[in-house]
């Protein structure tokens, strides 16, 4: 299906709907044993969310095609890849919210998984969502060599040199003051690694050329950082209702953020600069980079 | 290298040493940032263990070769697969030991990870070990289609329809009385799924024929169950020092076990029956099934 004529909002909604549909298929039914675990997994994953990572997978896939029509197998593979990155993201939120981590009660305006299902079940929910992501990738109907590349990328991005590693630095840094460089390292792992993986996996699955991959890499560097800066700004400017999670939590927890280090004005300037870098990075990709460009603007301008 | 002339003890020691060596290479150095997380990951994985799963990978790989010499690439791939199943096993132990689960203080005679590093770090340690297993598989130098098969199997075995699912049933069943069938379902997921995956992945990586794969599947069914029955017997017959973990814990926690349902004598009889089933299952595989046969005996007769 050609989606190039759609307005950005329509395109985004279409890709979100497709992702939800694949997630719904990939997740075991709540009626299937062990029921309680499967119910909790569905609660954690299907409870809304912006699906930014999934949208990046699709946008990068479209960019990689360079105007060629998307084959049905590629469309299906991108859907599974989009589901995979959302499953990893969902698991990370469940574990982050646990009492031994951020001890958060509210997520997307709903009780967090451990509040709803208990701590042990919440931990197992996260533990089971993670391999489900790899199961989804294993089902992609594209060349096995591409599947292996995508799996290797996802595994690295989720692990100690990516998201989990960033989380570990975050843990160690509570109550400490970090320099901007240290803060950037932490975020580039904690949030940036999975955003980057989403972008690169989308490109790989759709058979990106090496020059497109290079553009995607530079775009990912800028967007990964922009996402976190925008998040830090929202933590101080938005209210809990709009965010769907507790606003002002970072400041209350004495966690270092871009705003605490650079101030609100400085953070906003950095954000605009990163948005420009993202746009520059995909210029060589040409017209098929449209959705990537629009997603970068969306990430910078979002209000939640 | 031909290992067929070695006594079983020597063969087992060789495969354990090889596995430790691959694990040591696959795990990031403790000096690499985030240091505390990497230190905890190494503590969790390299602290000994029987390496039964790793040995099953190698034994199934040797069986699949049907007497042909093992190529260097296959040897390397089996080592990475052996490391992968041990990484998943190690992560599951770290999470099982947490206060919200079994709340265990002792593992392999040493303080558990959360006792040593704190709860948050222990959770992240498990979270980071899991994707490292998939990274290891992604590095296997065999046909990508085989890698994808192995990854799909591992993901399923670790997830809600395998190990994590069994754990979730276990959680729900504390204080309840389970029938033997229910108990068997729980264990076939909790322990059996990963033992089965180890055996099948070893066969796949070494290019097992479909008839060998079938033999491996039947062998896995028997050995997976035998392992748990032996564990339950040891929980009541061995002491804490020999086990390296708290003995009598299942009874104290009021957890259903084979011994609590069938008695000690009944459990021992079942164990012998399962050992015979395992031996029968691999008879069609012939002489190259030697290590599988010996491993089944070892699993049945072990004292820890």
């Amino acid at each position: 299906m050609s989606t190039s004529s759609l307005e950005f909002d329509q395109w985004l909604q279409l890709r979100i709907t497709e992702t939800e549909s694949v997630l719904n298929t990939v997740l075991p039914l709540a009626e299937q044993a062990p029921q309680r675990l499967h119910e909790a997994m569905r609660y954690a994953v299907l409870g809304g969310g912006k699906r930014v990572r999934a949208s990046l997978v699709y946008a990068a896939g479209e960019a990689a095609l360079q105007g060629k029509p998307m084959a049905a197998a590629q469309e299906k593979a991108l859907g599974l890849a989009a589901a995979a990155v959302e499953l990893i993201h969902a698991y990370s939120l469940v574990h982050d919210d646990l009492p031994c981590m951020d001890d958060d009660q509210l997520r997307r305006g709903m009780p967090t998984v451990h509040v709803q299902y208990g701590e042990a079940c919440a931990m197992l929910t996260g533990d089971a969502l993670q391999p489900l992501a790899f199961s989804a990738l294993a089902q992609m109907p594209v060349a096995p060599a591409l599947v292996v590349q995508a799996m290797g990328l996802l595994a690295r991005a989720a692990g100690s040199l990516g998201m989990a590693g960033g989380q570990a630095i975050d843990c160690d840094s509570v109550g400490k003051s970090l320099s901007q460089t240290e803060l950037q390292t932490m975020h580039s792992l904690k949030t940036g690694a999975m955003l980057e993986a989403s972008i690169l996996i989308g490109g790989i699955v759709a058979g990106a050329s090496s020059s497109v991959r290079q553009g995607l890499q530079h775009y990912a560097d800028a967007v990964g950082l922009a996402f976190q800066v925008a998040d830090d700004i929202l933590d101080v400017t938005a209210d809990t209702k709009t965010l769907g999670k507790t606003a002002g939590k970072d400041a209350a927890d004495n966690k270092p953020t871009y705003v605490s280090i650079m101030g609100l004005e400085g953070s906003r300037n950095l954000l605009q600069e990163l948005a420009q870098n993202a746009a520059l990075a995909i210029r060589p990709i040409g017209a098929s980079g449209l959705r990537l460009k629009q997603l970068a603007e969306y990430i910078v301008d979002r209000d939640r």
Side-chain angles (χ1 to χ4, degrees), chain A residues 260-275:
Chain A
S260 73
I261 290 175
M262 312 180 71
L264 194 55
E265 192 60 24
S267 302
R268 282 182 170 144
N269 290 341
L270 174 61
L271 193 56
Q272 287 315 316
E273 197 184 306
L274 291 167

Side-chain angles (χ1 to χ4, degrees), chain A residues 42-75:
Chain A
R42 299 182 73 88
Y43 179 86
V45 174
L46 300 174
K50 298 179 293 290
R51 308 294 183 206
V52 171
R53 291 156 190 78
S55 306
L56 285 169
V57 169
Y58 278 113
E62 295 186 14
L65 286 170
Q66 292 283 288
K68 280 174 291 184
M70 191 178 288
Q74 285 172 323
E75 181 87 33

Side-chain angles (χ1 to χ4, degrees), chain A residues 4 9 15 59 63 85 101 105 119 167 197 206 209 222 224 258 271 279 301 303:
Chain A
S4 56
D9 286 355
R15 291 318 195 181
V85 296
M101 300 290 290
Q105 312 294 307
E119 244 180 275
Q167 198 62 36
S209 67
Y258 282 97
L271 193 56
D301 294 333
D303 63 358

